Amino acid sequence: MCGIYGCCQRAKAAKSAIGGLEKLEYRGYDSAGIAFLEGEKIEIIKSVGKVSNLKEKVGERVSNLAIAHTRWATHGKATTLNCHPHTSKNFIIVHNGIIENFKELKSAASEDFYSETDSEVIAKVLEKNFENLTEIKDVNERILNSISKTQNQLVGSWAVILICRKNPSKIYAFKNKSPLIVAKGKGENFVASDINAFEKREKNLLKYYNLNNGNIAEISRENVYFYDEKLNKIGIKEIKKQCEIYQENCNFKHKMLKEINEIPEAIYSTKKYIKKSDFKKLSKKLKNYSKITIVGCGTAYHAGLYGKFILEKYLNKNVSVELASEFRYKTQIKEANELVLAISQSGETADTLAAIEIAKKNGAETAAITNVCSSSITRICDYVLLTHAGAEVAVAATKSYVCQILALYMLASSAAEKRIFRSLENVAHKAILNFSLENLKEFLGIKKFFFIGRLCDSATASEGALKLKEIAYVHSEGYPAGELKHGTLSLVDENSLVIAIITQSEILDKTLNAVHEVRARGAKVLIVSQFDLEGEGKEVLLPRAREEIMPLISVLPLQLFAYHYSDKNGLNPDMPRNLAKSVTVE
Ligand code: F6R
């Protein structure tokens, strides 16, 4: 994963780079590093832990050029040695991605290696190519040729920003598969993994460009030039920044809590703007596909489970849901007229992108539901539906999940020519306001959780369990309610809390049967439902909406519960250990 940032800017480059890293920290936060030009000298500072540690080490520095990195370790532990930037004699690089052939390249390099990373090899290969290109006299041209040659030797995924000591007034960037955006300003230019990492400027002062695989950017304070892999100068189409509902300064203790509280606004925006994308075209075609397969990972996969429920219910058509990380490796059975629909908040998840590429090769039409308009997935799918949750920075997906559910509901409704339930944002607002931790305090110490539900409530159960595992580090399982008695019930005892989600009247009694079964084994029970089930035990009572869209509401108290569980246990819900927001590695 990792976040990278580079800038050429009068005096404030180091400060800008640290600010950029703070916004990219969701991509990795085990160590961070920076290289910046101070006078004639290039300073490199590294630090284990969060970006705040690096910030403290760097302090106030005057610099016109900087590159920086925040790391999510793939090769080698989070140590200072493994921390980026990585160097060779002349090159200083930061890298996001994985170099799959690093061992092979390492053995052919002429310099010694000091780190366990795959990234260091990029600096060493660049150096070797630079050494071998002495016939090119112009140093800028020689650097560009070294980059081009290096790109041909690398296998895997990379977004790289570099400084060459032979020409330290410029930074260079190149990419394959990992995201890289350039922002062009007046007397200042930037490059980073994410469009939201750049400094805020008055309207239209920055122009944004999304690099394609193989592209190289040459960046100075005055200019940005783009090249293709053969070093032809090229133009890249400007992209627009999505309208933002993210505000930096807020009164919430954590970003996750802030983002949950933004859900009503995110619902409103998604309802309003999703139709501007390929929504109509896709909803018109939906009924005609002979097969629909939904793919996604983690939370997005859970949204896919809801997608299966609502599309089957409204279109009376078989829909399958697959984990993207499995779909990409399984036997592909060709079927005429198939749609593969990917769900991905970031639009950058490596497994989901690979699943789409495979579906395309197999002749399927492809569509994406994503929250990021400039993401890789938007460029490879035939249809793109944009949710408008706004930037989601906390690692745990919350408002983006709700908007994915909404997008699927709207898509199914439109395809089936049904009217949607209108006042969803109000109902969501009510559910958030109604949530009371006071009533749930007794559950904050429990270490064994089972979330159960049937039909679409089983998707919510899986999502509720994932949130708790992810940010509170407690064992929790999400199960279709009927499955417990086929094995898992043996784990249920008086130390367990079973959270039963019951929003569908047709299976209310059936899920209550499962509740009785776990209670008979001594488990504590919490019911989450819009039906008043007083007498069945402790309940979080939800405001009412149309049953088919209740998963959008019932997940809210589960997200809030997980948040408070994590916070009350002294953890940081925004940055759970071992994880990062955008999973761009396989
Ligand atoms: C969990 C979570 C992850 C993501 C998954 C897919 O809270 O955020 O499970 O849902 O990594 O990410 P996207 O949606 O960006 O493809």
Side-chain angles (χ1 to χ4, degrees):
M1 279 77 89
C2 307
I4 59 175
Y5 188 94
C7 65
C8 297
Q9 190 190 36
R10 196 179 150 79
K12 292 184 183 151
K15 192 171 174 215
S16 167
I18 297 284
L21 286 194
E22 283 175 329
K23 294 196 193 118
L24 290 169
E25 206 168 16
Y26 71 87
R27 302 176 70 88
Y29 34 82
D30 59 37
S31 50
I34 185 170
F36 55 92
L37 185 68
E38 197 173 40
E40 302 282 286
K41 201 175 150 230
I42 296 172
E43 275 269 10
I44 299 179
I45 302 178
K46 302 180 178 193
S47 175
V48 172
K50 304 241 161 69
V51 173
S52 53
N53 297 354
L54 181 71
K55 190 177 181 174
E56 211 172 293
K57 260 187 162 177
V58 173
E60 299 281 322
R61 311 294 278 260
V62 177
S63 166
N64 291 342
L65 175 149
I67 62 172
H69 185 273
T70 179
R71 182 165 184 250
W72 185 84
T74 58
H75 296 65
K77 286 202 174 118
T79 60
T80 316
L81 267 190
N82 289 331
C83 183
H84 296 222
H86 287 295
T87 57
S88 55
K89 192 172 140 215
N90 285 301
F91 287 90
I92 302 160
I93 67 116
V94 290
H95 165 227
N96 163 216
I98 290 187
I99 304 303
E100 288 165 12
N101 59 339
F102 80 102
K103 283 192 183 143
E104 209 177 300
L105 292 171
K106 213 168 161 175
S107 54
S110 48
E111 283 178 79
D112 287 341
F113 283 73
Y114 53 82
S115 78
E116 300 162 275
T117 67
D118 55 325
S119 307
E120 189 188 341
V121 84
I122 302 172
K124 302 296 194 298
V125 174
L126 279 164
E127 189 70 46
K128 198 163 176 199
N129 290 331
F130 191 74
E131 270 168 24
N132 291 340
L133 286 167
T134 42
E135 75 279 7
I136 304 177
K137 296 298 168 220
D138 178 82
V139 71
N140 189 52
E141 217 177 292
R142 193 167 154 198
I143 296 168
L144 287 169
N145 276 275
S146 311
I147 293 172
S148 166
K149 223 170 157 196
T150 304
Q151 291 223 82
N152 289 333
Q153 290 165 278
L154 301 177
V155 176
S157 58
W158 57 87
V160 176
I161 310 174
L162 67 86
I163 306 173
C164 178
R165 289 183 190 280
K166 297 281 190 219
N167 194 16
S169 59
K170 287 184 177 173
I171 56 178
Y172 301 81
F174 56 98
K175 72 148 254 165
N176 181 49
K177 292 187 191 163
S178 302
L180 204 54
I181 318 277
V182 165
K184 241 167 135 173
K186 288 213 162 73
E188 55 176 5
N189 293 305
F190 309 85
V191 57
S193 308
D194 181 340
I195 199 163
N196 294 313
F198 301 118
E199 291 178 30
K200 293 224 165 27
R201 290 284 178 269
E202 298 273 304
K203 214 171 164 228
N204 298 335
L205 264 185
L206 287 181
K207 293 192 186 313
Y208 303 101
Y209 304 88
N210 200 347
L211 264 61
N212 291 309
N213 290 340
N215 289 172
I216 301 168
E218 175 195 324
I219 303 167
S220 62
R221 253 171 61 201
E222 299 74 30
N223 284 312
V224 176
Y225 298 110
F226 298 115
Y227 302 87
D228 66 13
E229 53 269 57
K230 293 192 178 124
L231 298 180
N232 301 306
K233 264 200 181 144
I234 52 167
I236 295 183
K237 211 171 135 206
E238 189 188 335
I239 54 165
K240 289 281 169 227
K241 198 171 173 188
Q242 222 162 328
C243 66
E244 277 286 295
I245 63 172
Y246 205 87
Q247 283 136 25
E248 287 306 326
N249 301 326
C250 52
N251 296 324
F252 294 100
K253 186 171 176 191
H254 291 102
K255 292 193 168 80
M256 182 178 171
L257 189 57
K258 171 178 170 285
E259 287 166 5
I260 294 173
N261 278 277
E262 283 170 347
I263 284 173
E265 201 179 339
I267 294 173
Y268 174 81
S269 299
T270 299
K271 260 181 16 190
K272 191 164 169 191
Y273 296 115
I274 199 168
K275 290 194 176 152
K276 290 200 171 160
S277 41
D278 298 325
F279 183 86
K280 269 200 187 123
K281 271 193 259 168
L282 183 63
S283 65
K284 271 197 186 132
K285 281 195 84 174
L286 214 56
K287 271 196 214 151
N288 304 331
Y289 288 110
S290 58
K291 187 179 172 197
I292 300 177
T293 305
I294 304 178
V295 293
C297 299
T299 290
Y301 170 75
H302 297 153
L305 294 175
Y306 170 77
K308 175 180 166 67
F309 163 83
I310 197 70
L311 288 169
E312 289 186 342
K313 193 174 182 85
Y314 277 13
L315 300 186
N316 201 21
K317 179 184 277 295
N318 274 322
V319 175
S320 57
V321 196
E322 308 253 8
L323 288 162
S325 54
E326 289 291 311
F327 177 86
R328 59 180 296 195
Y329 300 117
K330 75 171 196 132
T331 308
Q332 297 292 328
I333 301 160
K334 237 189 170 98
E335 184 147 347
N337 205 17
E338 180 182 2
L339 175 74
V340 174
L341 168 62
I343 305 178
S344 175
Q345 186 282 129
S346 62
E348 300 294 347
T349 299
D351 284 323
T352 310
L353 292 175
I356 285 294
E357 293 290 3
I358 282 165
K360 279 169 90 94
K361 266 193 204 140
N362 210 27
E365 288 208 334
T366 54
I369 294 178
T370 183
N371 196 38
V372 182
C373 69
S374 53
S375 60
S376 303
I377 211 162
T378 61
R379 294 198 275 171
I380 57 172
C381 284
D382 301 312
Y383 304 96
V384 176
L385 306 194
L386 274 181
T387 55
H388 284 256
E392 189 181 66
V393 175
V395 165
T398 53
K399 57 178 181 169
S400 64
Y401 174 74
V402 166
C403 290
Q404 287 161 358
I405 298 280
L406 176 62
L408 289 159
Y409 171 64
M410 288 179 70
L411 187 65
S413 304
S414 170
E417 293 170 28
K418 285 181 188 285
R419 290 164 75 91
I420 64 159
F421 179 82
R422 283 260 144 225
S423 50
L424 269 172
E425 54 274 49
N426 298 334
V427 182
H429 190 217
K430 221 167 166 186
I432 293 166
L433 281 181
N434 285 356
F435 180 85
S436 157
L437 188 64
E438 208 45 47
N439 289 337
L440 306 177
K441 270 197 172 140
E442 63 183 288
F443 303 132
L444 289 178
I446 286 181
K447 296 277 180 264
K448 208 176 349 167
F449 285 84
F450 299 89
F451 290 74
I452 60 169
R454 287 177 199 264
L455 298 175
C456 54
D457 292 337
S458 128
T460 313
S462 299
E463 179 55 11
L466 178 65
K467 283 299 88 111
L468 203 57
K469 283 185 254 212
E470 187 182 6
I471 59 169
Y473 316 154
V474 285
H475 200 98
S476 58
E477 301 267 7
Y479 263 94
E483 273 298 293
L484 275 187
K485 56 187 171 296
H486 297 290
T488 312
L489 199 55
S490 64
L491 287 172
V492 172
D493 59 18
E494 57 285 354
N495 298 318
S496 321
L497 175 64
V498 177
I499 300 184
I501 300 114
I502 311 178
T503 69
Q504 307 298 299
S505 44
E506 59 187 300
I507 42 78
L508 192 154
D509 290 339
K510 301 287 175 208
T511 308
L512 281 178
N513 285 346
V515 165
H516 299 150
E517 284 158 16
V518 294
R519 189 170 288 124
R521 271 91 192 162
K524 297 172 185 59
V525 174
L526 175 67
I527 292 172
V528 176
S529 176
Q530 79 275 34
F531 307 115
D532 187 351
L533 298 172
E534 213 184 321
E536 293 295 342
K538 194 149 205 167
E539 182 175 5
V540 170
L541 190 60
L542 302 169
R544 280 176 187 263
R546 198 177 289 162
E547 280 190 14
E548 295 93 289
I549 192 57
M550 277 308 291
L552 185 151
I553 306 299
S554 54
V555 76
L556 303 175
L558 307 186
Q559 292 175 346
L560 284 162
F561 179 71
Y563 165 78
H564 286 294
Y565 194 110
S566 168
D567 181 43
K568 295 287 173 223
N569 283 285
L571 304 169
N572 178 356
D574 287 344
M575 291 184 181
R577 69 183 176 210
N578 305 338
L579 299 176
K581 180 90 184 152
S582 183
V583 188
T584 54
V585 296
E586 295 171 358

